[in-house]
Amino acid sequence: MRDRLSAVAAWGAAGMVLAAFAWLIGDVLWRGLPGLSWQFLVSAPADAGRAGGIASILLATVWILAIAIGTALPLGLATAVWLAEFGHRQPRLQGHVNHALDVLAGVPSIVFGLFGNAFFAVTLGLGFSILSGGLTLACMALPILVRVTGAGLQAVPAELRQGAAACGLTQWTTLSRLLLPAALPALLAGTLLGIGRALAETAALIFTSGYVDRYPGSVFDSARALSVHIYDLAMNVPGGERNGYASALVLVALILCINLATHALARGWQRSMS
Amino acid sequence: MSTPGRSSPPDGDAALRAVTGLAARLSGTVVVGIALFVLWQAWPALQAVGPLRFVTDAGWHPLAQPAQFNLLPMLVASVAVTLGAMLLAGPLGLFTAIFMTDYAPPALARLLRGVVELLAGVPSVVYGLWGLVTLVPLLAAWQPPGASLLAGILVLALMILPTMVLASHAAIAGVAAEHRLTVAALGFSCAGSLWGVLLPAARAGLCGALLLSTTRALGETMAMLMVTGNVARMPDSLFAPARTLTANIALELAYAMDRHRAALFVGGLLLTALVLALVRLARGLGCAWRHA
Amino acid sequence: MGSDAVSGGRRARPVIAMLLPLLLAGCGDGGKAATGKLMLTGSSTVAPLALEIAKRYEADHPGVRIDVQTGGSSRGITDARSGVADIGMVSRALKPDESDLVAHAIAHDGIAIIVHASNPVTELSADQIRAIYRGQIATWQAVGGPKRPITVVNKAEGRSTLELFLQHFGLANTQIHASVVIGDNEQGIKTVAGNPGAIGYVSVGAAEYAATHEVAIRLLPLDGIPASTVTVKDGRFPLSRPLNLVTRGQPQGLAGDFIAYARSAAVHDRVRSLYFVPLD
């Protein structure tokens, strides 16, 4: 009886998840496909986004992501290395850093937006700019990068480290020759996850990188990210739906590519570990 | 692992340790810096208005004469949509995860996992757009105005479902395989082993999954702004409109100046405090906190 | 870009010091050497129009960059005063206490009351609108419509559309009993189009665009005068407003040239394509 009930609940839940997925994605596909074309991807928005495409938006998104990952990656990697290789010598500090990263991972994106607007845009005087937006996203992506990279470092078999230590290798050599190559796929996977999260972000960017929908000339220019563009077309531009949904479709497709790449990496990683 | 003997402490290692140690301290400081900075920005409002008025004023009218700053209805709305969404997405996510580990044929489980991962990456604006254009009109035909706590709960449940599924799947799949073998050897029924052995064993991971989803739900901004109606009044039913703390900031920050702006930072401070409390709770309960 | 000039003298310290000169140099470039850069901030109603005009102006004047940021009319006033922005965007006439600024109208717009297209009510008096927004009339039946509750759509705090609406009907925002609060125009249009019992108010231009593009909304006349860009243009529509660019003192140089361009006939097609009303 309980067997039957559990089975029904499990199949039912899975069915509902698939149905919800079909409804949501079907909706975006149905409304977004008519507006999608090669021309849409390579031309700049015109007429407040109602006409034209999203080329400048895509470029701006890449710039913002590059700043975010370029800042968060070195910091995240170094933090993960310290937590995994040195942290046990200072357990109190290790505990504090872990706790702080857990809280950081839970901070709502709109609070990052508040902080980014007040700190990067106003206090540091960067204004609405790619730099303000990218640095704000870097703070957001940091915990993901540290965690996923850390998991990769910890997954390196203990025999490997002991062997390295027994051979008298320095920690630097062990790290650069053994641990990092072994953890590289995890590092890439963490980076991709961070990009995925940053790509979907709206609330933190509206108040930091702003609305300007042109081709950015430098990192001090304001620029509009893809998710902000979708929001603006949906909420502020009459007749913006067609291009809004088409942009949403592009964003979902990008996320799908990132997921597939992450999986391919994870598979390669498992193979190299065994 | 300690360097055996420390015969010749190599310079490279010391530098490596110093640099990564610095990075770790910096990473740990980010959240403290954010909290302090938000507090600093909120200070003028806290000082001029007084903390008490943020829960006792007649309403939220920061530009009226005299201004009113009650954040309580929004706090209630934030907690209500979060709880409602967790009530829906919690069991649904758990059962989907169980389906993936124990019932689904491997191909179907893989497909489902791919679907859920894609859903996890879909930006909140897209969920919000779907809610605004498709869900709210349906609700409006039944119980106007449609834009309501219920709309928020439904959209939010859908949004955190993927997080819930992935995190609880990781927790259940993480329970050692030998557990399952033992259970099978002892001749438990399938559901018996599930409820009696596997789920208790995955308890720490599951409670982490729940709390992670809760912080996501609490922090959701754009989708809530698009579907809950944004009326800053204490909601008196599921069909009543409500404004979450997050939507309040997104709706007014661009237009706010001086004390109004500082009052919005008080809302941000409140959100940060809620997340801190949740993480503390998770630690206290011994939850395994998983990301990704 | 220029970072060499700043950091050239000193030897840069590692890590953090590497970044600083870059940032400082960049800020310096943007702030002082104002070689053809304009900053516009303010009203989200004016912003899309200003952006389109700016794009065309940039195309004619290579080397000029014009940044447009939205944030409401009051921000436009504040930023123009403080000099954060070269030009503020304000979607209303200036108030008496804002006489330190100079307003330059670039177009006209009105605020239209909108209802769902299926709503049989064709006209509401000012008193009825007041009563509806105060929550004293709660069903359409009371104003000659079907037996259906009224969903009152109001604007969020800080928008000048809200300010003008309240001022016109002599209401205070604390009196209003809203069922939905919206941010920007299109959210209001989507909300009304999705709810047969809704009433809201948005920019005439945006509403007219939606109503003529198969969106299920209808514009109600005000004081017997139909709400349209035509009645706004001939000055008959009572709830109308100028869309202004404001400056501290008479604009000089690039700002002056841009404002003259924005007021010229060369941009009338842009103004019309965004459903605003061009200057005569």
Side-chain angles (χ1 to χ4, degrees):
Chain A
M1 185 59 213
R2 230 161 61 144
D3 269 357
R4 179 76 53 85
L5 216 62
S6 291
V8 168
W11 279 94
M16 279 173 77
V17 168
L18 278 177
F21 167 80
W23 193 5
L24 184 82
I25 298 295
D27 200 51
V28 174
L29 271 177
W30 181 57
R31 294 176 202 251
L33 268 182
L36 204 57
S37 66
W38 178 246
Q39 205 52 40
F40 182 72
L41 295 177
V42 298
S43 54
D47 197 8
R50 227 173 271 148
I54 51 170
S56 59
I57 310 286
L58 286 176
L59 190 69
T61 310
V62 170
W63 279 47
I64 294 170
L65 288 178
I67 298 268
I69 298 302
T71 313
L73 190 62
L75 188 60
L77 176 61
T79 303
V81 166
W82 186 84
L83 285 173
E85 308 299 323
F86 302 105
H88 58 92
R89 296 185 202 170
Q90 286 162 281
R92 265 178 64 93
L93 180 61
Q94 190 184 32
H96 283 315
V97 172
N98 273 322
H99 187 40
L101 285 170
D102 281 346
V103 178
L104 189 63
V107 169
S109 56
I110 188 72
V111 175
F112 284 100
L114 274 177
F115 167 74
N117 177 272
F119 184 67
F120 295 122
V122 177
T123 305
L124 291 189
L126 298 177
F128 284 104
S129 64
I130 290 178
L131 206 52
S132 294
L135 292 175
T136 306
L137 286 191
C139 298
M140 277 186 78
L142 186 65
I144 307 171
L145 279 166
V146 175
R147 290 301 175 226
V148 181
T149 313
L153 284 172
Q154 268 150 16
V156 177
E159 301 92 69
L160 214 61
R161 293 159 200 256
Q162 284 154 5
C167 293
L169 293 184
T170 64
Q171 275 191 307
W172 172 248
T173 318
T174 313
L175 186 72
S176 59
R177 296 287 163 78
L178 284 174
L179 298 180
L180 283 186
L184 186 64
L187 182 65
L188 287 175
T191 309
L192 283 175
L193 273 173
I195 291 179
R197 186 70 54 78
L199 202 55
E201 189 45 50
T202 315
L205 286 179
I206 283 187
F207 304 117
T208 52
S209 56
Y211 280 93
V212 174
D213 67 352
R214 283 170 321 187
Y215 287 101
S218 83
V219 292
F220 300 103
D221 283 338
S222 167
R224 191 190 282 191
L226 192 52
S227 50
V228 175
H229 188 56
I230 299 169
Y231 179 74
D232 194 57
L233 285 179
M235 303 286 274
N236 201 24
V237 180
E241 288 94 43
R242 207 177 88 115
N243 278 356
Y245 276 104
S247 310
L249 201 54
V250 172
L251 188 47
V252 170
L254 284 174
I255 303 269
L256 184 64
C257 293
I258 287 176
N259 284 351
L260 290 176
T262 315
H263 271 291
L265 277 170
R267 267 200 303 279
W269 177 26
Q270 273 156 5
R271 212 171 295 137
S272 71
M273 280 289 112
S274 55
Chain B
M1 47 169 284
S2 53
T3 10
R6 297 173 57 98
S7 47
S8 58
D11 281 355
D13 282 4
L16 178 67
R17 190 177 162 189
V19 169
T20 58
L22 194 68
R25 284 180 180 84
L26 185 58
S27 295
T29 320
V30 169
V31 73
V32 182
I34 290 177
L36 285 179
F37 199 80
V38 171
L39 174 65
W40 182 46
Q41 295 282 313
W43 195 250
L46 285 171
Q47 209 168 32
V49 181
L52 204 59
R53 275 185 55 198
F54 283 96
V55 290
T56 57
D57 268 0
W60 172 264
H61 291 286
L63 296 179
Q65 296 294 337
Q68 302 170 3
F69 292 105
N70 194 353
L71 287 172
L72 200 58
M74 299 177 233
L75 180 63
V76 169
S78 279
V79 172
V81 287
T82 303
L83 279 181
M86 288 311 297
L87 279 177
L88 286 180
L92 203 55
L94 179 61
F95 277 110
T96 307
I98 291 171
F99 176 79
M100 280 158 66
T101 51
D102 287 51
Y103 292 93
L108 186 57
R110 265 202 307 278
L111 173 76
L112 200 57
R113 197 182 155 78
V115 163
V116 171
E117 278 175 358
L118 182 61
L119 278 179
V122 171
S124 56
V125 221
V126 175
Y127 283 97
L129 195 55
W130 174 81
L132 178 65
V133 176
T134 309
L135 182 68
V136 169
L138 281 178
L139 289 175
W142 173 40
Q143 285 281 347
S148 56
L149 269 187
L150 183 62
I153 287 172
L154 290 175
V155 170
L156 202 51
L158 199 58
M159 293 186 67
I160 56 170
L161 191 60
T163 311
M164 188 61 209
V165 173
L166 292 176
S168 38
H169 179 252
I172 297 173
V175 175
E178 59 240 52
H179 246 107
R180 289 171 184 268
L181 288 178
T182 321
V183 163
L186 290 175
F188 275 102
S189 75
C190 188
S193 74
L194 188 65
W195 295 107
V197 182
L198 288 183
L199 290 186
R203 200 180 52 101
L206 289 178
C207 113
L210 270 175
L211 282 163
L212 182 65
S213 310
T214 308
T215 58
R216 285 279 161 78
L218 197 62
E220 180 45 43
T221 308
M222 298 334 263
M224 294 301 97
L225 171 65
M226 292 161 98
V227 304
T228 61
N230 301 318
V231 177
R233 208 171 36 225
M234 193 66 88
D236 51 9
S237 86
L238 268 182
F239 305 108
R243 183 189 295 192
T244 63
L245 277 174
T246 49
N248 187 45
I249 299 171
L251 203 57
E252 298 189 356
L253 182 64
Y255 298 82
M257 284 174 302
D258 309 327
R259 204 163 55 164
H260 181 192
R261 182 175 158 93
L264 293 177
F265 277 81
V266 175
L269 205 58
L270 210 53
L271 281 166
T272 313
L274 281 174
V275 167
L276 184 66
L278 277 172
V279 174
R280 279 280 154 90
L281 181 69
R283 292 211 141 192
L285 292 175
C287 299
W289 194 258
R290 279 166 194 276
H291 304 269
Chain C
M1 32 172 278
S3 68
D4 286 353
V6 173
S7 61
R10 292 182 197 164
R11 270 295 324 136
R13 287 229 193 130
V15 201
I16 304 168
M18 295 256 300
L19 269 172
L20 265 175
L22 241 169
L23 299 186
L24 294 175
C27 292
D29 278 355
K32 278 175 196 149
T35 49
K37 189 160 178 176
L38 276 184
M39 173 67 132
L40 277 69
T41 67
S43 159
S44 61
T45 307
V46 185
L49 176 60
L51 192 62
E52 291 301 320
I53 295 176
K55 275 185 193 166
R56 191 177 282 186
Y57 186 82
E58 282 175 344
D60 295 347
H61 302 77
V64 172
R65 264 195 92 81
I66 301 170
D67 273 358
V68 179
Q69 297 294 346
T70 64
S73 295
S74 22
R75 170 148 315 244
I77 298 281
T78 312
D79 287 356
R81 255 188 200 145
S82 67
V84 168
D86 303 288
I87 299 173
M89 299 176 288
V90 179
S91 58
R92 53 169 170 76
L94 289 180
K95 296 173 186 172
D97 63 347
E98 290 160 356
S99 56
D100 53 323
L101 299 170
V102 184
H104 317 268
I106 56 170
H108 292 285
D109 183 31
I111 295 168
I113 309 285
I114 55 169
V115 294
H116 193 267
S118 70
N119 195 327
V121 174
T122 54
E123 177 143 28
L124 290 170
S125 72
D127 281 335
Q128 283 172 327
I129 290 174
R130 259 190 291 275
I132 287 173
Y133 269 87
R134 281 189 183 132
Q136 292 150 343
I137 295 180
T139 83
W140 285 105
Q141 214 171 8
V143 290
K147 210 174 147 187
R148 181 178 283 140
I150 299 179
T151 297
V152 174
V153 182
N154 196 26
K155 273 247 177 189
E157 201 89 71
R159 273 74 174 174
S160 59
T161 312
L162 167 73
E163 223 174 297
L164 277 168
F165 175 82
L166 295 176
Q167 194 189 333
H168 181 84
F169 288 102
L171 291 163
N173 203 20
T174 43
Q175 299 175 314
I176 287 185
H177 200 82
S179 331
V180 177
V181 172
I182 54 147
D184 297 318
N185 285 324
E186 181 58 14
Q187 188 182 10
I189 290 170
K190 282 198 167 71
T191 301
V192 173
N195 184 338
I199 181 169
Y201 57 91
V202 295
S203 157
V204 166
E208 196 172 76
Y209 179 91
T212 52
H213 285 76
E214 296 176 353
V215 178
I217 62 162
R218 196 152 45 74
L219 290 74
L220 290 187
L222 201 59
D223 304 339
I225 297 159
S228 76
T229 43
V230 175
T231 56
V232 171
K233 187 182 178 66
D234 59 26
R236 283 191 297 144
F237 191 69
L239 192 40
S240 62
R241 57 178 174 185
L243 302 183
N244 283 323
L245 298 181
V246 304
T247 50
R248 193 173 48 175
Q250 282 302 329
Q252 308 292 323
L254 182 59
D257 194 49
F258 175 72
I259 289 173
Y261 179 74
R263 287 168 58 81
S264 72
V267 300
H268 281 183
D269 58 327
R270 292 277 66 172
V271 175
R272 268 188 220 102
S273 77
L274 287 166
Y275 283 76
F276 293 124
V277 179
L279 306 172
D280 286 325

